[in-house]
Amino acid sequence: MSHQTHLNRRQLLTAAGAGALVLPASVAATAGAATPAATPVTAAATPAGAPYPNRPVATGAQRAAADGWRALAGQKVGIITNPTGILTNLRTIVDEMHEAGTVDIVGVFGPEHGFRGTAQAGDSEGTHTDPRTGLTVYDAYGANAAKMEQLFRAAGVETVVFDIQDAGARFYTYIWTMYTAMRAAVATGARFVVLDRPNPLGGKAYGPMMTTAYTSGVGAKEIVQAHGMTVGELARYFDGEFLTADAGGRVSELSVVEVSGWRRDVPYAETGLPWVMPSPNMPTADTALVYPGTGMFEGTNLSEGRGTTRPFELVGAPYVDHRWAERLAARSIPGVAFREAYFTPTFSKHLNTVCGGVQVSVTDPARFDPVRTGVEMLVAAKALYKEFAWRVDNDPRPYWIDKLSGSTRLREQVTAGAGADEVVGAWQAELRDFDRRRRQYLIYRGPAA
């Protein structure tokens, strides 16, 4: 990208009242070029415990809209989004762009749960004509790079826009839809624009690394379980670390329209942004905080709370009693408390059956490690209940927990009776290495590790 284009992109993406964009972090490189230099984002950039910034938070979408969508002018645009892709008026970016008439939208691409969010987990809305706008909505859920490339070419996409609120966990599928779309963008020569949003977990990374043998739709590349990055930062990471090997090159032009007013340690509740459910079982920002840990219970015979009003915060099974909550409380796990709870799922595991278990309550987000908490829960449940079992699927890699955790290691350790300290200790070296590698791609300041 030429220096002149670099300056023009800055002008185009600077939204009214939002201040200037930070150029090195905002605009990524042309294919084959080095990742743009960025001021290192370190824990020292903002002292831990400092007051949260007292300024409004504006998403990338809001900033682009405030500038009249000039960043997308003159291009045939394909949009990957869902109900979370909204502005402060609570309307979707697709409806706003369509009615404004300033963006040439040639297609919308729906991820898991669909563009309008009508589908449950593991499902999509299919390819159809959107009744509100008349736009073609292509089914992108589960599409591989070749299929996504085919969809982009059929629609005539020149610029791909990604705007989805992520939940911060490796096994939340939207980031893999983004990665697949980036691979397709390399093949078609399309620009790629990320309208960024905060990571509801903040900026710390937690958990084990995905191993190549266990990659799948719930973990397509080698990143840790809670990556601690926004989707814009992840796009930069994917572009710099994976695309050349997987797609034969890098995105021709990768731009991130940054969130303004956000720091890495600012809880989502402090941003002032509305929370729209990114999926039917992610009802609140509190759900997102615990999900990278309690989501592992999808790989067991315990209910992860689907079919209740507090999924992933309520976890249990018909065979669980008061002892689980008592043992977990005795562990004094930082930043979290456990309430003995009973619930009856209305769908999914243990349908219409009373389950004993716990409600997980985060008491201090700054001290809370969701993945360690999930491990503590697994270790205690395995030790207490002979009925505890791992979920088995009809697959060459039969244990679902291995796909969620990235390898057989966690399952084998817990099965053998290892304690939480041993399980968590096993991944510290790979976590440190990931944290070191990701820092050059980070955009936002504040405690990062």
Side-chain angles (χ1 to χ4, degrees), residues 246-413:
D246 289 352
R250 296 172 66 175
V251 175
S252 62
E253 184 182 331
L254 171 61
S255 300
V256 175
V257 186
E258 298 176 11
V259 180
S260 65
W262 183 67
R263 204 173 71 182
R264 306 185 74 79
D265 58 337
V266 176
Y268 197 94
E270 300 290 334
T271 65
L273 298 173
W275 179 264
V276 175
M277 295 188 298
S279 58
N281 296 295
M282 193 67 61
T284 71
D286 290 340
T287 320
L289 283 178
V290 301
Y291 176 70
T294 57
M296 291 190 289
F297 281 90
E298 293 186 7
T300 74
N301 65 349
L302 282 82
S303 166
E304 62 276 8
R306 293 181 188 274
T308 76
T309 59
R310 306 300 286 193
F312 300 106
E313 295 175 62
L314 288 169
V315 182
Y319 58 80
V320 173
D321 60 13
H322 61 91
R323 292 176 295 161
W324 196 29
E326 291 169 356
R327 180 169 293 201
L328 290 170
R331 290 286 295 166
S332 299
I333 305 165
V336 64
F338 300 91
R339 179 183 70 85
E340 179 185 349
Y342 298 89
F343 59 93
T344 303
T346 59
F347 70 91
S348 193
K349 296 177 190 170
H350 308 303
L351 174 67
N352 297 330
T353 304
V354 175
C355 295
V358 297
Q359 181 174 3
V360 183
S361 298
V362 177
T363 58
D364 185 351
R367 301 177 64 218
F368 177 63
D369 178 338
V371 184
R372 183 189 181 96
T373 299
V375 168
E376 293 271 9
M377 295 171 69
L378 287 168
V379 167
K382 174 66 173 63
L384 285 169
Y385 306 109
K386 67 181 186 303
E387 299 92 340
F388 174 92
W390 302 107
R391 170 182 161 188
V392 177
D393 289 338
N394 184 20
D395 187 280
R397 301 162 298 180
Y399 291 101
W400 188 248
I401 187 64
D402 298 349
K403 299 173 194 175
L404 296 175
S405 65
S407 72
T408 64
R409 183 178 58 196
L410 182 144
R411 174 178 55 83
E412 290 171 348
Q413 286 183 308

Side-chain angles (χ1 to χ4, degrees), residues 40-180:
V41 180
T42 66
T46 306
Y52 298 129
N54 185 21
R55 59 182 184 270
V57 174
T59 64
Q62 194 63 43
R63 297 184 69 191
D67 198 40
W69 305 110
R70 284 194 297 158
L72 306 176
Q75 295 283 300
K76 297 183 183 300
V77 176
I79 304 175
I80 303 170
T81 191
N82 70 358
T84 67
I86 61 165
L87 304 176
T88 53
N89 63 6
L90 305 183
R91 302 191 71 222
T92 74
I93 62 168
V94 172
D95 293 345
E96 286 281 307
M97 289 182 194
H98 178 71
E99 291 181 15
T102 55
V103 180
D104 183 6
I105 304 172
V106 296
V108 180
F109 299 83
E112 183 178 10
H113 310 293
F115 162 49
R116 296 290 184 183
T118 64
Q120 259 294 348
D123 204 356
S124 66
E125 293 173 335
T127 296
H128 64 283
T129 299
D130 179 52
R132 181 182 181 90
T133 63
L135 296 168
T136 299
V137 179
Y138 297 90
D139 185 3
Y141 177 50
N144 60 20
K147 177 63 174 178
M148 193 77 81
E149 176 187 349
Q150 179 185 346
L151 295 178
F152 286 173
R153 292 191 187 280
V157 173
E158 297 172 340
T159 294
V160 181
V161 173
F162 184 91
D163 183 20
I164 293 179
Q165 175 63 59
D166 184 38
R170 183 180 61 219
F171 37 70
Y172 210 55
T173 63
Y174 298 139
I175 60 173
W176 305 120
T177 296
M178 180 174 74
Y179 183 62
T180 301

